Amino acid sequence: SYDLTQPPSVSVSPGQTASITCSGDKLGDKFACWYQQKPGQSPVLLIYQDTKRPSGIPERFSGSNSGNTATLTISGTQAIDEADYYCQAWDINTYVFGTGTKVTVL
Amino acid sequence: QVQLQQSGPGLVRPSQTLSLTCVISGDTVSSNSAAWSWIRQSPSRGLEWLGRTYYGSKWYKDYALSVKGRISIDPDTSKNQFSLQLNSVTPEDTALYYCARAYSAYDSAFDYWGQGTLVTVSS
């Protein structure tokens, strides 16, 4: 089976940049996407096709994907960005989710 | 604006069948540009995709290996909805279950999710 691994937690100060990685075998050969999930809420799509933002997603969220790693970057992190973040990719007729990263804004 | 409204029981007895329904508004289950999935979330397994159905000149269904043989996802065009049936459940199937849309223009990303249904498997 295909696995996507994320760091369990990332801490960031308000206004600073947070980077969340997602590692998988040859992930750069697939499209990666990213979701944000706040407590008690359904996931929200932040990034699709590695770098694209759906309408309504702030510009401070950006993505990249190369080699074995996809990265979600939050620039100018705000307190409202404190949440869980998940990567996801498609592999051989299966949607695969990452292990999730809790972002804490200190 | 697409909305997905889930319904179904929150408690299922072990060995019984878990059944959930997802009603679609703002799109159609037979859309050529969408696939309709069930996903669950638990502390032990994280987010886990269970399966999908989609229409492309005929109906297609794909299931995760972890639940294959126990799962069925069926579209209902008359009610514009799709359903999940998971047979022979055990306490390990206890999770928050979501329905979601994967939009083809977003290349398999889930752009709309249901509100979630907490299903507990217990006697």
Side-chain angles (χ1 to χ4, degrees), chain B residues 31-77:
Chain B
S31 167
N32 284 317
S33 57
W36 306 95
S37 286
W38 286 98
I39 296 160
R40 67 184 178 184
Q41 184 174 30
S42 64
S44 60
R45 302 170 78 105
L47 282 166
E48 179 186 19
W49 175 76
L50 299 177
R52 67 174 182 172
T53 186
Y54 63 97
Y55 187 77
S57 71
K58 68 174 185 177
W59 286 103
Y60 294 88
K61 301 175 186 180
D62 297 309
Y63 300 126
L65 290 177
S66 61
V67 291
K68 206 165 188 177
R70 293 200 294 136
I71 188 172
S72 181
I73 295 177
D74 297 298
D76 183 339
T77 56

Side-chain angles (χ1 to χ4, degrees), chain A residues 6-24:
Chain A
Q6 301 177 231
S9 62
V10 166
S11 297
V12 60
S13 299
Q16 299 304 302
T17 296
S19 294
I20 304 165
T21 58
C22 173
S23 299

Side-chain angles (χ1 to χ4, degrees), chain A residues 21-44:
Chain A
T21 58
C22 173
S23 299
D25 185 45
K26 299 180 182 178
L27 180 56
D29 292 343
K30 314 175 192 300
F31 277 131
C33 56
W34 290 90
Y35 302 90
Q36 178 193 67
Q37 186 179 32
K38 295 183 178 180
Q41 299 183 16
S42 303
V44 172

Side-chain angles (χ1 to χ4, degrees), chain B residues 63-119:
Chain B
Y63 300 126
L65 290 177
S66 61
V67 291
K68 206 165 188 177
R70 293 200 294 136
I71 188 172
S72 181
I73 295 177
D74 297 298
D76 183 339
T77 56
S78 66
K79 296 181 180 178
N80 202 31
Q81 64 186 34
F82 63 108
S83 63
L84 166 69
Q85 287 204 322
L86 187 64
N87 303 321
S88 305
V89 297
T90 71
E92 287 194 351
D93 294 310
T94 294
L96 183 57
Y97 285 75
Y98 293 101
C99 59
R101 183 185 87 159
Y103 186 42
S104 61
Y106 288 177
D107 194 63
S108 303
F110 297 105
D111 61 341
Y112 289 99
W113 296 65
Q115 80 275 24
T117 301
L118 179 60
V119 178

